[in-house]
Amino acid sequence: MKEVVTLFKEQFKNMGIIFRISRYEDMANYQSHYLGLVWEYLYPLIQIGIYWIVFGVGLKHGQSNGVDYLPWMVIGITPWFYMNRATLDASKSIYQRVGMVSKMKFPVSALPSIKLVSNLSSFWTMMVFSIIVGLLYGVRPNIHWFEWLYYFFAMLMLLLALGIFNSAVSVLIRDFHMLLQSAMRMLFYISGVLFNFETSSFPPLFARILQLNPFFYVVSGFREALFGTGWFWQRPTLTIEFWLIVLFFLLVGSHLHYKFRARFVDLI
């Protein structure tokens, strides 16, 4: 637990550096493109359109739990796109920045956090788009929208825990990032992003196993907040399971990070 406390202290201490570098990376990634940073916002919107055409129109998913499929899908895919990109980017954040780590005194634990911040711009764009789509389909503001603050915090804590863990393991085992990419592709289909497996058509045991996925907790939570279907404390078992998973990755990831941090450059 001492290592987890140290980790959070380093994040808060270097918050300014994290935001400055994340802004620089956003500009550097798109400086050679004609549309520049517009792609940061345009790409996820194109993906939403593709999934809606395929699953909402082509496969005739008209509604899900009485909610039109488009707003249901959009609000679920919004946190997923962010979590997917942030997880994969954070996992390779240390070995991609080996030059920075070796040439200057830099808080290595801040590298995954930089990836979390740099991907937030597209997330906010998609959130605004999700709300607009919801309003067009008859969803009205309600008190449950404040629940987004909790799920946004929960999402960041999950991504920080996974970022610290994955970035350390990716240095120790270089094949790990490739395995993680495959795992995230599979998780896309079993995290409730496109299909609602909490319906009666799914076997209860199968649905219960899928609910253990922490990504599902965040995705379903964002939907719960938009449509005003409940509060997070009304499903205490899932909430406890989610935070236990986050704590597990924080403890193990922090331990690996501080145990091998002095050897990262040599291992890379």
Side-chain angles (χ1 to χ4, degrees):
M1 185 60 74
K2 182 180 178 181
E3 293 165 328
V4 174
V5 173
T6 303
L7 172 68
F8 279 104
K9 285 182 178 179
E10 289 186 351
Q11 305 306 305
F12 286 112
K13 182 180 179 181
N14 298 286
M15 194 67 68
I17 296 176
I18 291 173
F19 278 90
R20 286 196 298 272
I21 294 181
S22 66
R23 286 197 298 269
Y24 167 78
E25 287 193 345
D26 286 340
M27 293 184 291
N29 289 336
Y30 296 98
Q31 64 178 353
S32 61
H33 297 72
Y34 287 114
L35 295 180
L37 284 174
V38 174
W39 282 111
E40 188 75 14
Y41 312 103
L42 187 59
Y43 176 75
L45 297 181
I46 293 173
Q47 294 298 307
I48 287 176
I50 293 172
Y51 287 123
W52 176 63
I53 292 172
V54 173
F55 295 98
V57 179
L59 298 181
K60 304 301 181 183
H61 285 283
Q63 288 190 333
S64 181
N65 278 358
V67 179
D68 287 293
Y69 184 75
L70 180 58
W72 185 89
M73 184 268 292
V74 169
I75 192 59
I77 213 169
T78 293
W80 169 259
F81 268 146
Y82 172 65
M83 290 189 292
N84 179 60
R85 288 186 61 181
T87 298
L88 294 177
D89 288 350
S91 69
K92 55 186 180 180
S93 59
I94 293 180
Y95 69 73
Q96 277 189 335
R97 290 290 182 178
V98 62
M100 180 184 295
V101 173
S102 61
K103 296 178 181 178
M104 60 183 293
K105 185 178 180 180
F106 188 83
V108 183
S109 65
L111 293 176
S113 297
I114 291 172
K115 297 299 183 181
L116 268 61
V117 174
S118 65
N119 283 298
L120 275 176
S121 55
S122 59
F123 170 76
W124 293 124
T125 301
M126 292 183 66
M127 273 299 298
V128 173
F129 180 75
S130 300
I131 294 173
I132 293 174
V133 170
L135 293 174
L136 292 176
Y137 276 79
V139 178
R140 294 295 175 260
N142 58 82
I143 194 173
H144 289 271
W145 284 20
F146 288 103
E147 201 172 6
W148 271 327
L149 298 175
Y150 164 75
Y151 283 110
F152 180 71
F153 174 75
M155 178 175 66
L156 290 182
M157 289 299 100
L158 173 64
L159 293 177
L160 176 62
L162 291 177
I164 292 297
F165 175 83
N166 292 334
S167 61
V169 177
S170 294
V171 174
L172 301 175
I173 307 173
R174 293 303 298 272
D175 293 335
F176 179 78
H177 181 72
M178 302 300 295
L179 294 174
L180 182 63
Q181 286 181 312
S182 300
M184 293 302 291
R185 292 192 189 100
M186 179 186 67
L187 286 171
F188 175 68
Y189 294 100
I190 64 174
S191 296
V193 179
L194 300 177
F195 308 104
N196 186 0
F197 54 75
E198 292 184 302
T199 61
S200 57
S201 60
F202 277 81
L205 179 60
F206 180 64
R208 183 68 185 92
I209 293 174
L210 293 180
Q211 286 176 337
L212 295 175
N213 173 6
F215 293 105
F216 163 79
Y217 181 80
V218 176
V219 169
S220 62
F222 271 78
R223 287 188 178 125
E224 188 177 75
L226 178 68
F227 302 121
T229 56
W231 298 98
F232 67 89
W233 57 77
Q234 292 176 327
R235 45 179 189 170
T237 303
L238 285 180
T239 299
I240 293 173
E241 290 170 349
F242 171 82
W243 286 109
L244 285 177
I245 292 173
V246 172
L247 181 61
F248 169 80
F249 281 106
L250 270 177
L251 291 172
V252 178
S254 299
H255 176 71
L256 292 175
H257 180 87
Y258 289 107
K259 181 178 180 180
F260 295 101
R261 182 159 72 172
R263 299 173 52 198
F264 279 162
V265 175
D266 295 332
L267 290 171
I268 294 174

